[in-house]
Amino acid sequence: MVLWVFGYGSLIWKAGFHYDDRLVGFIKDYRRVFYQGSTDHRGTPEYPGRTVTIEPLQGEVCWGVAYKVSGEEDEQTAMEHLEVREKQYDVKAYLDFFTEPTATSPAISGVMVYIASPDKKLNRNYLGPSSLEEMANQIVNAKGPSGPNRDYLFHLEKALLQLGCEDKHVMDLANAVRRILSEKELTAS
């Protein structure tokens, strides 16, 4: 057995489990959005941070990385790690993963992806869409056990750029957060 896991958020730069291979690529008909509340890593129950999930959108692509985990022991360890780390993501989907933009058939079928659904009954931490300014302010002010929410955003932006991916949503949000932070510095001095 071989397990493939697709990472589109912090898994891009920090897997946290042993893997045999790491491929850069994308899934089709999904986009990355900062709609999931984080009350255990980048925020608190009183002040949730924002992390990414994916939502279906025809014609979009979501770039990230796929990790190949082989061997029963490594698979079990990876799944135990992911089930804790991704516990606020209520859906596991198995999707096609592509490595070439012009490819008509996937490089890998059945890559496991954690998704935070918009169903508030199943996912009590789903925050949903908000204005860029509101999301940026929330990210500026949120911090949790894994650190400030802004660090997550900046790490994601950097990791995506290193993959050669310019994600407009992530870059617009990162620029809005940088603007708010520099305005705060100016008013503080």
Side-chain angles (χ1 to χ4, degrees), residues 67-83:
Y67 294 100
K68 177 184 180 184
V69 182
S70 307
E72 196 175 328
E73 195 173 314
D74 282 349
E75 277 187 52
Q76 186 177 344
T77 303
M79 285 305 298
E80 286 170 2
H81 171 76
L82 289 166
E83 289 297 314

Side-chain angles (χ1 to χ4, degrees), residues 3 18 30 35 38-39 55 57 59 69-70 80 85 95 107 110 113 118 125 148 159 161-162 168 175 177-178 181:
L3 170 70
H18 179 266
Y30 283 89
Y35 293 176
S38 174
T39 59
E55 67 175 12
L57 189 62
V69 182
S70 307
E80 286 170 2
R85 178 178 175 163
L95 304 173
V113 183
N125 290 311
L161 289 172
Q162 287 171 342
K168 184 174 174 12
N175 287 332
V177 166
R178 279 190 278 274
L181 290 171

Side-chain angles (χ1 to χ4, degrees), residues 94-138:
Y94 295 85
L95 304 173
D96 288 338
F97 176 80
F98 298 83
T99 54
E100 294 296 322
T102 56
T104 53
S105 58
I108 305 156
S109 288
V111 173
M112 186 178 70
V113 183
Y114 285 88
I115 303 171
S117 78
D119 185 335
K120 291 290 261 173
K121 288 186 184 116
L122 299 173
N123 178 8
R124 62 186 171 85
N125 290 311
Y126 184 75
L127 298 172
S130 210
S131 73
L132 186 68
E133 197 69 16
E134 288 171 332
M135 287 193 287
N137 274 306
Q138 188 172 5

Side-chain angles (χ1 to χ4, degrees), residues 10 13 34 42 139-140 142-143 146-158 177 181:
S10 62
W13 73 86
F34 269 84
R42 297 295 179 166
I139 289 169
V140 163
K143 62 179 174 269
S146 296
N149 197 181
R150 68 186 85 155
D151 290 354
Y152 172 91
L153 170 62
F154 295 148
H155 282 308
L156 179 58
E157 178 189 39
K158 181 181 175 188
V177 166
L181 290 171

